[in-house]
Amino acid sequence: MPEPIVQAGVEVLRASAAYVSPDEIRTPEFQALVVRMIAAMREAPGVGLAAPQLGVGKRVFVMEDREDYLAAVSKETLDERERVVVPLRTIVNPVVKPVGKATKTFFEGCLSVDGFVALVPRLREVTLTGLDENAEPVKLHLKGWPARIAQHETDHLNGMLYIDRMVTRSFGTVDNTRGWLGKKSTVEAVKALVVDPPKRA
Ligand code: ZN
């Protein structure tokens, strides 16, 4: 049976998660949590999962974007989003820092807001630091979609969901959005969501 993923509205998704010490990382309990997280992410399937999404308030996420996931997406979309393969990684106590000020806005979803998507602006380029599953320091320089995943998952550990950052009028179900807004370029989609004030007669 796949493990249920906690859905929006539950307190653990809105709380700041606890830091994890190097000693705790090496415990069998913590290692078992990481195994559960990887299994739940792959089962969903998703490209990232944070511990609060399994109801555990600890600062750890897993991420992985696989060749077979990318194969299902058009080259145009992959290029636009700068989406590339991300090997499986476990990041404990992650810290995201901006590299430059550029942002990119794309549709994004979350396994804890199941069935919906919205346009979300994110930093295009970041550094991600933390500890890996062996409590060794990690420092990654990420750009494009991998940078987006790191920002989304780190937000989870601070009690934030993408709906806190989204272009609110772009929020919709995956199916409905795919039908009209998803067919436009991101620039066109943003434009289509602007409301013109009613003209006076
Ligand atoms: Zn999420």
Side-chain angles (χ1 to χ4, degrees):
M1 274 290 283
E3 187 162 4
I5 291 174
V6 175
Q7 294 298 303
V10 176
E11 190 178 5
V12 70
L13 290 177
R14 289 315 200 168
S16 188
Y19 285 87
V20 184
S21 71
D23 284 346
E24 185 180 350
I25 294 173
R26 298 188 194 99
T27 61
E29 292 76 17
F30 189 84
Q31 294 292 319
L33 168 65
V34 171
V35 169
R36 277 171 58 204
M37 288 170 62
I38 294 166
M41 171 176 70
R42 288 177 172 168
E43 178 71 36
V47 293
L49 187 95
Q53 296 182 276
L54 292 187
V56 179
K58 291 186 190 291
R59 300 186 87 80
V60 52
F61 74 75
V62 292
M63 67 191 286
E64 178 185 48
D65 205 357
R66 298 153 59 119
E67 196 76 60
D68 50 322
Y69 300 164
L70 301 189
V73 182
S74 74
K75 187 180 178 307
E76 194 183 10
T77 301
L78 293 178
D79 288 349
E80 186 189 38
R81 297 183 170 196
E82 300 178 282
R83 187 171 165 185
V84 293
V85 168
V86 176
L88 176 64
R89 290 191 189 277
T90 301
I91 310 285
V92 181
N93 304 333
V95 175
V96 166
K97 291 211 172 115
V99 177
K101 288 187 181 144
T103 60
K104 289 273 183 180
T105 301
F106 289 116
F107 278 101
E108 180 178 317
C110 176
L111 297 174
S112 294
V113 189
D114 195 24
F116 294 89
V117 288
L119 288 168
V120 183
R122 297 273 185 195
L123 291 163
R124 177 178 177 243
E125 208 170 336
V126 299
T127 59
L128 171 65
T129 53
L131 300 175
D132 70 10
E133 67 279 17
N134 301 310
E136 298 294 335
V138 188
K139 180 168 185 182
L140 300 171
H141 184 170
L142 304 173
K143 180 171 87 169
W145 209 253
R148 177 171 292 263
I149 299 169
Q151 290 169 78
H152 178 118
E153 301 309 330
T154 302
D155 273 355
H156 271 300
L157 306 178
N158 295 321
M160 284 191 76
L161 299 172
Y162 78 82
I163 53 176
D164 305 332
R165 299 187 185 275
M166 70 183 177
V167 177
T168 50
R169 283 175 52 79
S170 67
F171 183 72
T173 69
V174 174
D175 287 344
N176 290 346
T177 305
R178 193 181 283 137
W180 69 292
L181 217 47
K183 289 196 177 130
K184 302 178 192 295
S185 71
T186 305
V187 173
E188 286 169 350
V190 171
K191 220 166 149 188
L193 291 163
V194 173
V195 187
D196 290 324
K199 299 211 168 48
R200 285 177 179 274

